[in-house]
Amino acid sequence: MQFSNIIGQQAAKQHLLDSIHRGRLPHALMLRGPSGVGALQLAHAIAQYVNCQHPTDEDSCGQCASCRKISQAIHPDIHYVLPIISKTTSGKAILTDAYLEDFRKLYSAEPYFSFEQWQHALDGDNKQLMISVHEIRELKRKIFLKTFEAEYKIVILWQAELIRTGAANAFLKLLEEPPDKTLILLTCEDPGKLLITINSRCQQVALERIPKALLEAYLVEKKAVEVAKAKEIATISEGSLSHALTYMQESHHELNELYSSWLRMVYTGNYSKIQQIIEQIYKENKEFQKLFLAFAVKKLRDSLLFQLGVPEIALVTEAEKAFQQNFSKLIDADKVEQMVDLLDESRRFIAGNAHAQMAFTALSLRLHSILRS
Ligand SMILES: [Zn+2]
């Protein structure tokens, strides 16, 4: 991963390059930003740059042995600490190293893979992933060994908010007294969930949501998505490339079918049908559930444009037009606002590990009463 492969994040890249060139790179960086904006990818780009054998002022070469190994996540001096399902075999804790092959597979297939894909790869769709104290002890053991071949030993710790308290305390010691020529790169979506002492010992690097235009261009140029669809995906992806890629894989047609039949049943109050549709949504992973809700927000706003008599502003396909025209007769700006609030709230609940089936059931009931009020 080179800096040039990172979508957006110009300010962060420039800041990092300046620090490196002035010899001011601190020993610990906290790369923080919403999911899917590129924190894990930027960590790899930094690791690759500081260890590159032929770097330019702007980027690593991408060709030398070090660059090639880091881009395949097989460099012996890059130590990964990843959130995993905590378990033991014959009394010994299973650690990140046992899952590195899974990580490499995902990362090489698509560097901007999502946390939900990682969870799924570990067979942990509905399980809580975490970073345990055993993991940090093992990291300490490895980090004080000699480097094999690199200039810098690198620690990439992904999703620092998933560090358990005991592990966080053990990790603090490492942050206070790291071995020489060691660079600790943490990523985090929600620094509020971290020990203040961990935050304060890392230089903070804030990542931004990726601008819509960049997401759209990326989907069109790199993934051969049609312009109209790319626009729509970019609109509902909240600046996250991981979200956009997940969304890209869902057939737009099926998503729209699911949305319109759900809303029809919500309006008529057909609860057994609503349950069947919720079952379908529930079977998919959390990422899909969140995207479905984002899609619903987008479609509701489109309905409002129909209701206001400006359907040409809405990005809808021919197939969606009839539904939107009919549905727009049932709503007004006030109802849409209330419904959008509920959809956003449900999305936050699901992101925060609420039970999806219950969240969707409650949502359906409340939307029904708004639509019928
Ligand atoms: Zn290189």
Side-chain angles (χ1 to χ4, degrees), residues 16 31 36 63 84 114 116 120 126 143-144 156 158 191 197 218 222-224 235 272 292 319 344 349 359:
L16 289 163
L31 309 171
Q63 306 289 325
I84 56 172
S114 68
E116 282 74 14
H120 188 67
N126 292 309
I143 204 80
F144 283 99
I156 294 181
W158 185 33
T197 37
Y218 182 84
K222 305 280 188 209
K223 302 288 176 181
T235 306
S272 66
F292 177 79
D344 283 340
F349 285 157

Side-chain angles (χ1 to χ4, degrees), residues 48 52-55 60-64 66-67:
Q48 196 165 308
C52 178
Q53 288 149 9
H54 312 288
S60 54
C61 75
Q63 306 289 325
C64 68
S66 170
C67 280

Side-chain angles (χ1 to χ4, degrees), residues 37 84 89 93 103 111 136 157 166 179 211 280 283 318 325 335 352:
V37 303
I84 56 172
T89 353
F103 179 81
I136 304 301
L157 189 147
Q280 259 175 285
K283 271 195 308 209
E318 277 307 311
Q325 247 143 16
K335 284 184 178 176

Side-chain angles (χ1 to χ4, degrees), residues 232 256 259-260 263-264 295-316 320-337 339-340 343 371:
E232 181 162 294
N256 193 57
Y259 165 74
S260 45
L263 217 51
R264 251 185 233 120
F295 183 84
V297 167
K298 163 87 178 58
K299 289 293 142 192
L300 267 181
R301 294 212 166 110
D302 285 348
S303 303
L304 189 59
L305 296 173
F306 274 78
Q307 201 263 340
L308 295 170
V310 282
E312 60 279 5
I313 305 176
L315 286 167
V316 291
E320 292 166 48
K321 254 186 200 158
F323 173 81
Q324 288 286 25
Q325 247 143 16
N326 288 329
F327 185 71
S328 65
K329 292 174 192 143
L330 306 173
I331 50 146
D332 55 38
D334 188 44
K335 284 184 178 176
V336 167
E337 195 183 327
M339 291 169 81
V340 165
L343 288 161
L371 282 171

